[in-house]
Amino acid sequence: MAFISFFARRLFGIMIVVFSVSIFMFILLRSIPGDPARLLAGFDAPPQVVEQIREKYGLNDPLPIQLIKYLGNLLTFNLGISIRTDNPVLSEILARLPYTIYLSIVSLAIAIAVGIPLGAYAALRKDSTLDYLVTAFASLGTAMPTFWLGLMLIFLFAVQLKLLPAGGADSPYSILLPALTLSISVMSPIVKTTRFTFLEVMREDFVKLARAKGLSKNKVIFKHIMRNAMIPVLTVIGLQLGNLMRGAVITETVFAWPGIGRLVVDSIFARDYPMVQGAIFILALMYALINLAVDSLYAVVDPRIRLGGAA
């Protein structure tokens, strides 16, 4: 029963969040100047053609009616028809989704594989030169704008050194620069949190007791420190998954990566309301489900935590 209650509460929360984001995006899009029917028909098109396009896509309906129809269609997972391409929104998103998932997984893998060891090593060598360098790197990674970092990497590795492609997804190596760009912004919080929690756990009495018993250094680190320090790190990793989705919009645009992020940007310029709304809905749903999975992992990592709030 605790599991059923936990998932029921969390799923209800997910529905509230996703629908709130969808409503906000609907209002935001309608506040942007520009007529999608005029953009699609062309500025030289006769008014009759523009009017037909408005009727076809329901743009002449009052905004409350459009919102009700939109929310009703979301309940059946009907995301509508793209104004720009005249294809079903869901099929176009599903065609782009693997690229975004691939980019996010590779970026997160780099961030975890580098970030956790760096943070742990900095904590174990507190106040050393390496600790200062790692802390400075983490602060720099947080401060650097993603688009600027992406452009610098293109200039260095694609233009100057000619080692990697500057954009697109035609080569197996095309993933490296966008994944590196996206991973650095995600890696910085992981490094900081790992360092901080390692230092906190290292001050605990059970760690001092383990050392007093004569356990090996590696055993103390991996069995006692790392296990207890990983819960806050997992929380940060879960939150960074959301940042990956946000950062993918910028990174995919800079590197011409054919994922959902680039699709959203192209659709915003074309005032393709159904496509932008559908893509944001899918991204918000993915973000919420990822957070649900992270919450569930707590019970696996720390047996003191019980689902449903029971101690």
Side-chain angles (χ1 to χ4, degrees), residues 113-251:
V114 178
I116 291 179
L118 269 185
Y121 200 75
L124 295 171
R125 297 287 185 273
K126 186 176 181 293
D127 294 332
S128 66
T129 304
L130 181 67
D131 180 27
Y132 294 137
L133 288 175
V134 170
T135 305
F137 167 75
S139 300
L140 197 62
T142 306
M144 277 190 297
T146 304
F147 73 92
W148 180 85
L149 177 60
L151 293 175
M152 290 300 103
L153 291 178
I154 289 174
F155 177 75
L156 178 62
F157 290 101
V159 177
Q160 294 295 325
L161 300 178
K162 301 186 186 307
L163 291 176
L164 295 169
D170 301 327
S171 162
Y173 302 106
S174 300
I175 186 72
L176 293 178
L177 287 184
L180 185 59
T181 302
L182 199 52
S183 69
I184 288 180
S185 62
V186 175
M187 189 189 304
S188 299
I190 294 176
V191 171
K192 289 180 180 177
T193 306
T194 304
R195 180 183 179 278
F196 177 78
T197 53
F198 256 66
L199 290 174
E200 288 290 307
V201 175
M202 285 163 62
R203 296 190 190 102
E204 295 289 340
D205 290 338
F206 66 88
V207 175
K208 296 175 183 175
L209 181 62
R211 285 173 172 158
K213 284 181 177 178
L215 294 180
S216 68
K217 186 177 179 181
N218 287 340
K219 208 164 190 177
V220 172
I221 292 173
F222 290 104
K223 186 175 180 182
H224 295 281
I225 299 177
M226 180 167 281
R227 182 175 178 181
N228 289 280
M230 281 299 99
I231 295 175
V233 177
L234 275 179
T235 304
V236 170
I237 291 174
L239 294 174
Q240 292 311 308
L241 286 170
N243 289 337
L244 278 176
M245 301 295 173
R246 184 187 62 190
V249 174
I250 301 170
T251 307

Side-chain angles (χ1 to χ4, degrees), residues 227-297:
R227 182 175 178 181
N228 289 280
M230 281 299 99
I231 295 175
V233 177
L234 275 179
T235 304
V236 170
I237 291 174
L239 294 174
Q240 292 311 308
L241 286 170
N243 289 337
L244 278 176
M245 301 295 173
R246 184 187 62 190
V249 174
I250 301 170
T251 307
E252 289 179 2
T253 304
V254 171
F255 290 95
W257 185 257
I260 293 184
R262 189 181 172 198
L263 179 66
V264 169
V265 173
D266 292 343
S267 301
I268 288 174
F269 283 118
R271 303 294 188 274
D272 191 349
Y273 296 157
M275 185 62 77
V276 178
Q277 290 167 176
I280 296 299
F281 171 75
I282 294 296
L283 290 175
L285 186 62
M286 288 173 59
Y287 178 68
L289 291 175
I290 288 168
N291 275 279
L292 174 61
V294 173
D295 288 348
S296 303
L297 277 176

